[in-house]
Amino acid sequence: MKRGQVAFLTGTHVVNDLYQGAVPALLPFLMSERGYSYSAVAGITLAATGLSSLTQPIFGMIVDRRQRNWLIPAGFLVAAAGIACAAMSSGYLLTWVCVAIAGIGISAYHPPATNAARAAGGPSQFAMSAFSVGGTVGASLAPPLVTLVVGGLGLSGGYLLAVPAIVVGLLWTLQKPWYRYRGYVMAAPIAATAEQRRGHDDWPAFGRLVLVTVCWSVPYVITMSMASPFLIHTLGSSKSVAALTLSLFTVAGAVGTLVGGALADRYGRRIAIRAGYLMAPPALLVLTLAQSTVWAALAIALVGLAMFLPFAPQVTLAQDYLPTRPGSASGVTLGLAMSVGGLASPLFGILADHVGPRGAIATAAAVLVVSTIAAFTLRDRVPPATVSEHERELLVAAER
């Protein structure tokens, strides 16, 4: 693992996802200063998340055809420009277009950056975990940054939001990226044929992994959207306590991502993936049965920890399943498959209106059971050039 490269790429991930988190952080200011309705800000959210999710696989296919590391700085610089212009623009249509451009920049960043992080991290799953947590950190820094800048100067001061991207962009130029991603050698299990070792794409296995990811994204989005209303309206918690509990979910997810990477390095990816999916559904059920804020907060923290244990191993496993299309693999698993949760959220909202948030969260737990079952059908794949004797023994034991 090239620690310096992983650290620098993690820093770029912090900056890129800072602008992803800036969209929801800007919405209250857009509503108060420009009088946008709930439906208007929902359209702005869709412009950012919808286009980002749909275009990410396209950028994945682009980087699979030819190395394009310049998309990494271009992605977060375009995202910064889009967010800054959206804050300063006048008129809803122009704001919508600027946010959509920011979403496209965010999606352009992820496939090449994920490939580069994998190349820099080598066989280490913890390296991918650290890179993934960079995105979580960036999203969590967005609300205080937006509040500091826009809350102090108004939307007209939105140009200052671009400063982090400009600084990291200059650092990128000075570094003149010291690595080149040349298609990190990924191949099939140890018992595979020589032809498979040269780059055999396992589409059935990748399809099962996409199913796992899709059924993961639904309860993740539902937990994020239902946790606060459940705490406030069902358990009688204050808004500040609900917000703090939601932050606890994010922090627990970051911890789970790092723990999952370390667990995968030591015991293999399937152990980390299975452990997460075995823990998550019971934790969600505990949340639905909680009668106090304390128990609900503990359950939410456990859900965040469990659901993110498999996160980094799933990303690298997707790339190993499609060794000739690593960009497409990360684009689908991180982009298109993840968007399903957002598309399903209105249905769960209707369900919550009829049966309450407990029923909606319990239904999401049932969806997560599908992920658990599918996760136990996944087989490991490792690049033979990077397999240590310890990893080889672990893989052979796992296949047995």
Side-chain angles (χ1 to χ4, degrees), residues 125 129 216 252-264 268-280 302-315:
Q125 303 300 309
S129 297
W216 179 95
V255 173
T257 303
L258 293 174
V259 172
L263 192 65
R269 286 180 292 197
R270 291 203 305 177
I271 297 297
I273 291 172
R274 290 176 175 181
Y277 284 113
L278 283 175
M279 292 169 56
L302 183 58
V303 170
L305 178 70
M307 290 193 69
F308 278 87
L309 280 177
F311 190 81
Q314 284 179 177
V315 174

Side-chain angles (χ1 to χ4, degrees), residues 212-224 249-250 252-258 260 272-285 287 299-314 338 341 361 364-365 367-369 371-372:
V212 170
T213 307
V214 165
C215 294
W216 179 95
S217 71
V218 172
Y220 168 69
V221 172
I222 299 310
T223 302
M224 287 287 290
F249 178 78
T250 303
V255 173
T257 303
L258 293 174
I273 291 172
R274 290 176 175 181
Y277 284 113
L278 283 175
M279 292 169 56
L284 272 177
L285 289 177
L287 176 60
I300 287 173
L302 183 58
V303 170
L305 178 70
M307 290 193 69
F308 278 87
L309 280 177
F311 190 81
Q314 284 179 177
M338 293 287 287
I361 296 173
V367 175
L368 194 55
V369 170
S371 276
T372 304

Side-chain angles (χ1 to χ4, degrees), residues 183-189 192-203 318-326 381-385:
Y184 183 61
V185 181
M186 306 174 192
T193 64
E195 179 181 357
Q196 287 175 316
R197 288 181 182 279
R198 285 196 295 269
H200 169 70
D201 291 333
D202 191 342
W203 287 101
Q319 293 176 322
D320 288 352
Y321 282 153
L322 300 184
T324 67
R325 297 174 176 85
R381 258 193 165 196
V382 292

